[in-house]
Amino acid sequence: MGEQFISSRGNEYFCEIDEEYLTDRFNLTGLNTEVQYYQYALDLVTDVFDLECDDDMREQIEKSARHLYGLVHARYIVTTRGLAKMIEKFKQGAFGKCPRVICEQQPLLPMGQHDTPNVSAVKLYCAKCEDIYNPKSSRHAAIDGAYFGTSFHNILFQVYPAMMPQRTQRRYEPRIYGFRVHAAAALMRWQDERREEMKERLRSARVETGFEIEDAGDEDIEEDEDDVEGEDGIDDMFEGQMQRV
């Protein structure tokens, strides 16, 4: 089933698992509790399946076989043989290129955000900007992230340090008519937002700080401004009445 699974559309991220690895029961420890119809699924994966069953049963076993293959795949790709196969796919750009312009088409690696199945889909990791991205194809976006795991991409660069790209220090700089936008205004806005958030948290916790006096002073200034505007309005009304007299 391995070759057929790998050649199927949407399974380009996977590498073929060696038959010796699949037939070694030690490598499959604990998977029998995670996969339905485990023995039938294993027989299908190792191409020894000979059970006569109806179409519905066959479909369920094939689904379990795909899940079993994915779980074994997560274990296999951190072995010496598995890493060697995945590094070749990485060199060929089989997993896609980083969409970030400044990364200059850096090849990506598949990774999972969780090691537990059915939690999150596979993501693509760029070692140059150290960020993760969603796959472009919806077929790849449906792959379970647990089939690659959270450690594979880091282990690969530990084993093949020469393949680790130099981390980019370049960042996009916003410009207006060629002039760089001054960062002070953005920094002040950010500081004001954080300050208001902190004040709100302190109020919620009923912690006494110097902010209360400052806020009261601001309110008095606003009230004084309102009073001035009110007095001006009264004076204008009085002058209008005198003119009519």
Side-chain angles (χ1 to χ4, degrees):
M1 180 185 173
E3 294 182 3
Q4 181 181 357
F5 180 82
I6 298 303
S7 60
S8 299
R9 192 177 182 185
N11 293 335
E12 292 83 3
Y13 288 177
F14 294 89
C15 71
E16 185 177 357
I17 303 173
D18 294 335
E19 185 176 353
E20 294 81 4
Y21 190 88
L22 283 169
T23 54
D24 187 342
R25 295 304 176 96
F26 176 78
N27 299 323
L28 311 179
T29 302
L31 297 182
N32 58 323
T33 61
E34 298 187 37
V35 179
Q36 190 179 21
Y37 306 116
Y38 171 78
Q39 190 56 56
Y40 293 143
L42 180 59
D43 291 343
L44 187 59
V45 169
T46 54
D47 296 323
V48 295
F49 183 78
D50 60 355
L51 176 69
E52 294 184 3
C53 56
D54 56 29
D55 293 342
D56 291 340
M57 183 67 174
R58 176 83 183 191
E59 184 178 350
Q60 290 296 322
I61 294 174
E62 288 181 353
K63 182 179 179 181
S64 295
R66 288 192 294 269
H67 184 50
L68 176 61
Y69 192 93
L71 295 176
V72 178
H73 184 268
R75 299 181 178 187
Y76 177 73
I77 58 177
V78 294
T79 65
T80 302
R81 284 281 298 158
L83 288 169
K85 290 183 179 182
M86 294 298 277
I87 198 68
E88 290 302 319
K89 295 173 74 71
F90 172 73
K91 291 177 181 178
Q92 298 167 8
F95 310 116
K97 304 295 179 65
C98 182
R100 186 171 181 266
V101 174
I102 298 177
C103 285
E104 300 174 337
Q105 299 292 301
Q106 168 65 32
L108 300 171
L109 279 173
M111 60 158 285
Q113 293 178 284
H114 300 86
D115 292 314
T116 305
N118 304 317
V119 175
S120 63
V122 68
K123 304 299 179 184
L124 296 173
Y125 171 75
C126 174
K128 198 166 188 177
C129 63
E130 296 184 307
D131 210 343
I132 60 176
Y133 302 90
N134 290 317
K136 289 183 177 180
S137 172
S138 59
R139 297 190 304 273
H140 297 148
I143 299 173
D144 198 316
Y147 296 165
F148 297 89
T150 58
S151 303
F152 154 68
H153 58 294
N154 295 315
I155 293 175
L156 184 139
F157 288 121
Q158 291 291 322
V159 177
Y160 298 96
M163 299 305 299
M164 170 67 80
Q166 184 176 2
R167 292 180 174 84
T168 177
Q169 300 297 321
R170 296 170 55 199
R171 293 292 183 269
Y172 169 73
E173 294 182 347
R175 293 178 180 271
I176 298 178
Y177 299 121
F179 295 97
R180 187 173 61 183
V181 177
H182 202 285
L187 177 60
M188 289 179 64
R189 287 196 298 271
W190 182 84
Q191 289 174 334
D192 288 341
E193 291 174 358
R194 301 292 83 76
R195 184 169 177 269
E196 292 301 320
E197 290 177 1
M198 177 61 72
K199 287 163 67 175
E200 186 61 33
R201 288 200 295 269
L202 291 173
R203 289 194 199 99
S204 301
R206 297 185 178 182
V207 177
E208 294 184 2
T209 66
F211 288 130
E212 291 85 356
I213 300 175
E214 182 181 338
D215 293 342
D218 293 340
E219 292 176 359
D220 291 340
I221 293 173
E222 292 176 359
E223 290 176 359
D224 291 341
E225 291 175 352
D226 293 338
D227 292 340
V228 171
E229 292 177 357
E231 293 174 0
D232 292 342
I234 293 172
D235 291 341
D236 292 341
M237 181 176 64
F238 182 76
E239 290 177 1
Q241 290 177 349
M242 292 296 293
Q243 289 176 359
R244 286 196 296 274
V245 173

Short mmCIF file of all heavy atoms in Angstrom, two decimals, residues 24-70:
data_model
loop_
_atom_site.label_atom_id
_atom_site.label_comp_id
_atom_site.label_asym_id
_atom_site.label_seq_id
_atom_site.Cartn_x
_atom_site.Cartn_y
_atom_site.Cartn_z
N ASP A 24 8.15 -4.53 11.79
CA ASP A 24 8.73 -4.64 13.12
C ASP A 24 7.69 -4.15 14.13
O ASP A 24 7.40 -2.95 14.21
CB ASP A 24 10.01 -3.80 13.21
CG ASP A 24 10.74 -4.01 14.52
OD1 ASP A 24 10.11 -4.50 15.49
OD2 ASP A 24 11.93 -3.65 14.60
N ARG A 25 7.12 -5.06 14.89
CA ARG A 25 6.03 -4.70 15.81
C ARG A 25 6.47 -3.71 16.88
O ARG A 25 5.63 -3.00 17.44
CB ARG A 25 5.47 -5.97 16.47
CG ARG A 25 4.82 -6.93 15.50
CD ARG A 25 3.71 -6.24 14.72
NE ARG A 25 3.10 -7.08 13.71
CZ ARG A 25 1.97 -7.78 13.90
NH1 ARG A 25 1.36 -7.75 15.07
NH2 ARG A 25 1.48 -8.51 12.92
N PHE A 26 7.75 -3.65 17.17
CA PHE A 26 8.24 -2.69 18.18
C PHE A 26 7.95 -1.26 17.74
O PHE A 26 7.63 -0.39 18.57
CB PHE A 26 9.73 -2.88 18.41
CG PHE A 26 10.33 -1.88 19.37
CD1 PHE A 26 10.15 -2.02 20.74
CD2 PHE A 26 11.04 -0.79 18.89
CE1 PHE A 26 10.69 -1.09 21.62
CE2 PHE A 26 11.57 0.14 19.76
CZ PHE A 26 11.41 -0.01 21.13
N ASN A 27 8.06 -1.01 16.44
CA ASN A 27 7.82 0.33 15.91
C ASN A 27 6.35 0.73 15.96
O ASN A 27 6.02 1.91 15.80
CB ASN A 27 8.32 0.43 14.47
CG ASN A 27 9.80 0.17 14.36
OD1 ASN A 27 10.58 0.55 15.24
ND2 ASN A 27 10.21 -0.50 13.29
N LEU A 28 5.47 -0.24 16.16
CA LEU A 28 4.03 0.02 16.16
C LEU A 28 3.44 -0.02 17.56
O LEU A 28 2.21 -0.03 17.71
CB LEU A 28 3.33 -1.03 15.28
CG LEU A 28 3.92 -1.26 13.88
CD1 LEU A 28 3.13 -2.34 13.16
CD2 LEU A 28 3.90 0.03 13.08
N THR A 29 4.30 0.00 18.55
CA THR A 29 3.83 -0.11 19.94
C THR A 29 2.81 0.96 20.28
O THR A 29 3.03 2.15 20.04
CB THR A 29 5.02 0.01 20.91
OG1 THR A 29 5.98 -1.01 20.61
CG2 THR A 29 4.55 -0.13 22.35
N GLY A 30 1.67 0.53 20.81
CA GLY A 30 0.64 1.45 21.27
C GLY A 30 -0.37 1.88 20.22
O GLY A 30 -1.41 2.45 20.56
N LEU A 31 -0.11 1.61 18.96
CA LEU A 31 -1.00 2.06 17.89
C LEU A 31 -2.27 1.22 17.80
O LEU A 31 -3.26 1.65 17.21
CB LEU A 31 -0.28 2.06 16.54
CG LEU A 31 0.91 3.03 16.43
CD1 LEU A 31 1.50 2.97 15.03
CD2 LEU A 31 0.48 4.45 16.77
N ASN A 32 -2.25 0.03 18.34
CA ASN A 32 -3.43 -0.83 18.26
C ASN A 32 -4.61 -0.26 19.02
O ASN A 32 -5.77 -0.57 18.73
CB ASN A 32 -3.10 -2.23 18.78
CG ASN A 32 -2.62 -2.20 20.22
OD1 ASN A 32 -1.90 -1.29 20.63
ND2 ASN A 32 -3.00 -3.21 21.00
N THR A 33 -4.35 0.62 20.00
CA THR A 33 -5.44 1.24 20.76
C THR A 33 -5.94 2.53 20.10
O THR A 33 -6.96 3.07 20.50
CB THR A 33 -4.98 1.56 22.19
OG1 THR A 33 -3.87 2.48 22.14
CG2 THR A 33 -4.56 0.29 22.91
N GLU A 34 -5.22 3.01 19.10
CA GLU A 34 -5.57 4.27 18.46
C GLU A 34 -6.21 4.09 17.09
O GLU A 34 -6.76 5.04 16.53
CB GLU A 34 -4.33 5.17 18.31
CG GLU A 34 -3.69 5.56 19.63
CD GLU A 34 -2.57 6.57 19.44
OE1 GLU A 34 -2.72 7.44 18.55
OE2 GLU A 34 -1.55 6.48 20.15
N VAL A 35 -6.13 2.89 16.55
CA VAL A 35 -6.62 2.65 15.19
C VAL A 35 -7.70 1.58 15.22
O VAL A 35 -7.50 0.48 15.74
CB VAL A 35 -5.47 2.20 14.25
CG1 VAL A 35 -5.99 1.92 12.85
CG2 VAL A 35 -4.38 3.26 14.23
N GLN A 36 -8.84 1.89 14.64
CA GLN A 36 -9.93 0.92 14.53
C GLN A 36 -9.58 -0.13 13.48
O GLN A 36 -8.91 0.18 12.49
CB GLN A 36 -11.22 1.66 14.14
CG GLN A 36 -12.48 0.81 14.23
CD GLN A 36 -13.72 1.60 13.87
OE1 GLN A 36 -13.64 2.63 13.20
NE2 GLN A 36 -14.87 1.12 14.32
N TYR A 37 -10.01 -1.35 13.71
CA TYR A 37 -9.68 -2.47 12.81
C TYR A 37 -8.16 -2.54 12.59
O TYR A 37 -7.68 -2.67 11.47
CB TYR A 37 -10.38 -2.32 11.46
CG TYR A 37 -11.87 -2.15 11.54
CD1 TYR A 37 -12.48 -0.97 11.10
CD2 TYR A 37 -12.68 -3.15 12.05
CE1 TYR A 37 -13.86 -0.80 11.18
CE2 TYR A 37 -14.07 -2.99 12.14
CZ TYR A 37 -14.63 -1.80 11.70
OH TYR A 37 -16.00 -1.64 11.78
N TYR A 38 -7.42 -2.44 13.68
CA TYR A 38 -5.97 -2.32 13.61
C TYR A 38 -5.31 -3.42 12.79
O TYR A 38 -4.51 -3.15 11.89
CB TYR A 38 -5.39 -2.30 15.02
CG TYR A 38 -3.88 -2.40 15.06
CD1 TYR A 38 -3.08 -1.30 14.78
CD2 TYR A 38 -3.25 -3.61 15.38
CE1 TYR A 38 -1.70 -1.39 14.81
CE2 TYR A 38 -1.86 -3.70 15.42
CZ TYR A 38 -1.10 -2.60 15.13
OH TYR A 38 0.27 -2.69 15.15
N GLN A 39 -5.63 -4.68 13.08
CA GLN A 39 -4.96 -5.78 12.40
C GLN A 39 -5.27 -5.80 10.91
O GLN A 39 -4.38 -6.01 10.07
CB GLN A 39 -5.35 -7.11 13.03
CG GLN A 39 -4.51 -8.29 12.55
CD GLN A 39 -3.02 -8.08 12.76
OE1 GLN A 39 -2.57 -7.82 13.88
NE2 GLN A 39 -2.24 -8.18 11.70
N TYR A 40 -6.54 -5.57 10.56
CA TYR A 40 -6.90 -5.51 9.14
C TYR A 40 -6.21 -4.33 8.45
O TYR A 40 -5.74 -4.45 7.31
CB TYR A 40 -8.42 -5.37 8.99
CG TYR A 40 -9.19 -6.58 9.44
CD1 TYR A 40 -10.42 -6.44 10.08
CD2 TYR A 40 -8.72 -7.88 9.23
CE1 TYR A 40 -11.15 -7.55 10.50
CE2 TYR A 40 -9.45 -8.99 9.64
CZ TYR A 40 -10.66 -8.82 10.27
OH TYR A 40 -11.36 -9.92 10.68
N ALA A 41 -6.15 -3.21 9.16
CA ALA A 41 -5.49 -2.03 8.60
C ALA A 41 -4.00 -2.29 8.38
O ALA A 41 -3.43 -1.92 7.35
CB ALA A 41 -5.68 -0.83 9.52
N LEU A 42 -3.37 -2.97 9.34
CA LEU A 42 -1.95 -3.29 9.21
C LEU A 42 -1.73 -4.26 8.05
O LEU A 42 -0.76 -4.12 7.29
CB LEU A 42 -1.43 -3.89 10.51
CG LEU A 42 0.05 -4.28 10.53
CD1 LEU A 42 0.93 -3.07 10.25
CD2 LEU A 42 0.42 -4.90 11.88
N ASP A 43 -2.62 -5.23 7.90
CA ASP A 43 -2.51 -6.17 6.78
C ASP A 43 -2.62 -5.43 5.45
O ASP A 43 -1.92 -5.76 4.48
CB ASP A 43 -3.60 -7.24 6.87
CG ASP A 43 -3.37 -8.18 8.05
OD1 ASP A 43 -2.23 -8.21 8.57
OD2 ASP A 43 -4.32 -8.87 8.44
N LEU A 44 -3.51 -4.43 5.41
CA LEU A 44 -3.68 -3.68 4.17
C LEU A 44 -2.45 -2.83 3.87
O LEU A 44 -2.01 -2.74 2.72
CB LEU A 44 -4.92 -2.78 4.28
CG LEU A 44 -5.36 -2.05 3.02
CD1 LEU A 44 -5.65 -3.03 1.89
CD2 LEU A 44 -6.59 -1.18 3.30
N VAL A 45 -1.88 -2.24 4.90
CA VAL A 45 -0.68 -1.41 4.71
C VAL A 45 0.50 -2.26 4.25
O VAL A 45 1.30 -1.85 3.40
CB VAL A 45 -0.32 -0.68 6.03
CG1 VAL A 45 1.06 -0.04 5.95
CG2 VAL A 45 -1.37 0.39 6.34
N THR A 46 0.62 -3.48 4.78
CA THR A 46 1.74 -4.36 4.42
C THR A 46 1.43 -5.28 3.25
O THR A 46 2.19 -6.21 2.96
CB THR A 46 2.15 -5.20 5.65
OG1 THR A 46 0.98 -5.90 6.15
CG2 THR A 46 2.72 -4.33 6.74
N ASP A 47 0.29 -5.04 2.59
CA ASP A 47 -0.09 -5.77 1.37
C ASP A 47 -0.29 -7.26 1.59
O ASP A 47 0.02 -8.08 0.72
CB ASP A 47 0.96 -5.56 0.26
CG ASP A 47 1.04 -4.10 -0.18
OD1 ASP A 47 -0.03 -3.44 -0.22
OD2 ASP A 47 2.15 -3.63 -0.46
N VAL A 48 -0.83 -7.64 2.74
CA VAL A 48 -1.16 -9.05 2.98
C VAL A 48 -2.65 -9.21 3.30
O VAL A 48 -3.08 -10.25 3.81
CB VAL A 48 -0.31 -9.64 4.12
CG1 VAL A 48 1.16 -9.67 3.73
CG2 VAL A 48 -0.51 -8.88 5.42
N PHE A 49 -3.42 -8.20 2.99
CA PHE A 49 -4.85 -8.22 3.31
C PHE A 49 -5.58 -9.16 2.33
O PHE A 49 -5.47 -9.01 1.11
CB PHE A 49 -5.41 -6.79 3.20
CG PHE A 49 -6.86 -6.68 3.57
CD1 PHE A 49 -7.26 -6.67 4.89
CD2 PHE A 49 -7.84 -6.59 2.59
CE1 PHE A 49 -8.59 -6.55 5.24
CE2 PHE A 49 -9.17 -6.48 2.92
CZ PHE A 49 -9.55 -6.46 4.26
N ASP A 50 -6.33 -10.12 2.88
CA ASP A 50 -7.06 -11.05 2.02
C ASP A 50 -8.47 -11.32 2.53
O ASP A 50 -9.09 -12.33 2.17
CB ASP A 50 -6.29 -12.38 1.90
CG ASP A 50 -6.09 -13.04 3.26
OD1 ASP A 50 -6.47 -12.43 4.29
OD2 ASP A 50 -5.56 -14.16 3.30
N LEU A 51 -9.01 -10.42 3.33
CA LEU A 51 -10.34 -10.60 3.90
C LEU A 51 -11.40 -10.23 2.86
O LEU A 51 -11.32 -9.19 2.21
CB LEU A 51 -10.51 -9.71 5.14
CG LEU A 51 -11.89 -9.73 5.79
CD1 LEU A 51 -12.16 -11.09 6.43
CD2 LEU A 51 -12.01 -8.61 6.82
N GLU A 52 -12.39 -11.12 2.71
CA GLU A 52 -13.51 -10.82 1.83
C GLU A 52 -14.58 -10.08 2.65
O GLU A 52 -15.07 -10.60 3.65
CB GLU A 52 -14.09 -12.11 1.24
CG GLU A 52 -13.13 -12.84 0.32
CD GLU A 52 -13.79 -14.06 -0.31
OE1 GLU A 52 -15.00 -14.28 -0.04
OE2 GLU A 52 -13.09 -14.79 -1.03
N CYS A 53 -14.92 -8.86 2.22
CA CYS A 53 -15.87 -8.05 2.97
C CYS A 53 -16.63 -7.15 2.00
O CYS A 53 -16.24 -6.99 0.84
CB CYS A 53 -15.16 -7.21 4.04
SG CYS A 53 -13.85 -6.15 3.38
N ASP A 54 -17.71 -6.57 2.50
CA ASP A 54 -18.51 -5.70 1.64
C ASP A 54 -17.82 -4.35 1.47
O ASP A 54 -16.80 -4.05 2.10
CB ASP A 54 -19.92 -5.51 2.21
CG ASP A 54 -19.89 -4.99 3.65
OD1 ASP A 54 -18.94 -4.27 4.00
OD2 ASP A 54 -20.83 -5.29 4.41
N ASP A 55 -18.39 -3.52 0.63
CA ASP A 55 -17.76 -2.24 0.29
C ASP A 55 -17.66 -1.31 1.49
O ASP A 55 -16.66 -0.59 1.64
CB ASP A 55 -18.55 -1.56 -0.84
CG ASP A 55 -18.44 -2.33 -2.14
OD1 ASP A 55 -17.50 -3.15 -2.26
OD2 ASP A 55 -19.28 -2.11 -3.04
N ASP A 56 -18.70 -1.28 2.32
CA ASP A 56 -18.67 -0.39 3.48
C ASP A 56 -17.56 -0.79 4.45
O ASP A 56 -16.83 0.08 4.96
CB ASP A 56 -20.02 -0.43 4.21
CG ASP A 56 -21.13 0.21 3.40
OD1 ASP A 56 -20.80 1.01 2.49
OD2 ASP A 56 -22.32 -0.08 3.64
N MET A 57 -17.42 -2.08 4.69
CA MET A 57 -16.37 -2.55 5.58
C MET A 57 -15.00 -2.27 4.99
O MET A 57 -14.07 -1.84 5.70
CB MET A 57 -16.54 -4.05 5.81
CG MET A 57 -15.55 -4.66 6.79
SD MET A 57 -15.80 -4.06 8.48
CE MET A 57 -14.63 -5.09 9.37
N ARG A 58 -14.88 -2.49 3.70
CA ARG A 58 -13.61 -2.22 3.01
C ARG A 58 -13.24 -0.75 3.12
O ARG A 58 -12.08 -0.40 3.36
CB ARG A 58 -13.73 -2.62 1.54
CG ARG A 58 -12.52 -2.30 0.68
CD ARG A 58 -11.46 -3.36 0.79
NE ARG A 58 -10.28 -3.02 0.02
CZ ARG A 58 -9.30 -3.86 -0.22
NH1 ARG A 58 -9.36 -5.10 0.24
NH2 ARG A 58 -8.24 -3.49 -0.91
N GLU A 59 -14.21 0.13 2.99
CA GLU A 59 -13.96 1.57 3.09
C GLU A 59 -13.48 1.94 4.48
O GLU A 59 -12.56 2.76 4.65
CB GLU A 59 -15.23 2.34 2.73
CG GLU A 59 -15.04 3.85 2.71
CD GLU A 59 -16.31 4.58 2.31
OE1 GLU A 59 -17.26 3.91 1.87
OE2 GLU A 59 -16.33 5.82 2.44
N GLN A 60 -14.10 1.36 5.51
CA GLN A 60 -13.70 1.64 6.88
C GLN A 60 -12.27 1.16 7.16
O GLN A 60 -11.48 1.84 7.83
CB GLN A 60 -14.67 0.98 7.86
CG GLN A 60 -16.06 1.59 7.89
CD GLN A 60 -16.04 3.02 8.40
OE1 GLN A 60 -15.29 3.36 9.31
NE2 GLN A 60 -16.86 3.87 7.79
N ILE A 61 -11.94 -0.01 6.63
CA ILE A 61 -10.59 -0.55 6.84
C ILE A 61 -9.56 0.31 6.11
O ILE A 61 -8.47 0.57 6.65
CB ILE A 61 -10.53 -2.02 6.37
CG1 ILE A 61 -11.41 -2.89 7.26
CG2 ILE A 61 -9.09 -2.53 6.38
CD1 ILE A 61 -11.53 -4.34 6.79
N GLU A 62 -9.88 0.76 4.91
CA GLU A 62 -8.96 1.62 4.17
C GLU A 62 -8.74 2.95 4.89
O GLU A 62 -7.62 3.48 4.91
CB GLU A 62 -9.49 1.86 2.76
CG GLU A 62 -9.41 0.63 1.86
CD GLU A 62 -9.93 0.91 0.46
OE1 GLU A 62 -10.48 2.03 0.25
OE2 GLU A 62 -9.78 0.04 -0.41
N LYS A 63 -9.81 3.48 5.48
CA LYS A 63 -9.68 4.71 6.26
C LYS A 63 -8.77 4.50 7.46
O LYS A 63 -7.91 5.33 7.76
CB LYS A 63 -11.06 5.17 6.71
CG LYS A 63 -11.06 6.47 7.49
CD LYS A 63 -12.47 6.88 7.88
CE LYS A 63 -12.45 8.18 8.67
NZ LYS A 63 -13.82 8.59 9.08
N SER A 64 -8.94 3.36 8.14
CA SER A 64 -8.09 3.04 9.28
C SER A 64 -6.64 2.81 8.84
O SER A 64 -5.70 3.17 9.55
CB SER A 64 -8.61 1.78 10.00
OG SER A 64 -9.88 2.02 10.57
N ALA A 65 -6.48 2.22 7.66
CA ALA A 65 -5.12 1.98 7.14
C ALA A 65 -4.41 3.29 6.85
O ALA A 65 -3.21 3.44 7.13
CB ALA A 65 -5.20 1.12 5.88
N ARG A 66 -5.13 4.27 6.30
CA ARG A 66 -4.53 5.58 6.03
C ARG A 66 -4.12 6.26 7.34
O ARG A 66 -3.05 6.88 7.44
CB ARG A 66 -5.50 6.46 5.25
CG ARG A 66 -5.68 6.04 3.80
CD ARG A 66 -6.41 7.11 3.00
NE ARG A 66 -7.80 7.27 3.46
CZ ARG A 66 -8.82 6.60 2.97
NH1 ARG A 66 -8.63 5.69 2.00
NH2 ARG A 66 -10.05 6.80 3.43
N HIS A 67 -4.99 6.13 8.35
CA HIS A 67 -4.67 6.73 9.65
C HIS A 67 -3.47 6.03 10.28
O HIS A 67 -2.57 6.69 10.84
CB HIS A 67 -5.90 6.60 10.56
CG HIS A 67 -5.73 7.25 11.89
ND1 HIS A 67 -5.27 8.54 12.07
CD2 HIS A 67 -5.97 6.76 13.16
CE1 HIS A 67 -5.23 8.84 13.35
NE2 HIS A 67 -5.64 7.77 14.04
N LEU A 68 -3.42 4.71 10.18
CA LEU A 68 -2.29 3.96 10.72
C LEU A 68 -1.00 4.35 10.02
O LEU A 68 0.04 4.54 10.67
CB LEU A 68 -2.54 2.46 10.57
CG LEU A 68 -1.40 1.53 11.00
CD1 LEU A 68 -1.09 1.71 12.48
CD2 LEU A 68 -1.75 0.07 10.70
N TYR A 69 -1.06 4.48 8.71
CA TYR A 69 0.13 4.86 7.94
C TYR A 69 0.63 6.23 8.40
O TYR A 69 1.84 6.46 8.55
CB TYR A 69 -0.17 4.88 6.45
CG TYR A 69 1.06 4.98 5.58
CD1 TYR A 69 1.67 3.82 5.09
CD2 TYR A 69 1.63 6.20 5.26
CE1 TYR A 69 2.81 3.90 4.30
CE2 TYR A 69 2.75 6.29 4.46
CZ TYR A 69 3.34 5.13 3.98
OH TYR A 69 4.48 5.22 3.21
N GLY A 70 -0.29 7.15 8.63
CA GLY A 70 0.10 8.49 9.07
C GLY A 70 0.76 8.49 10.44
O GLY A 70 1.77 9.17 10.65
#
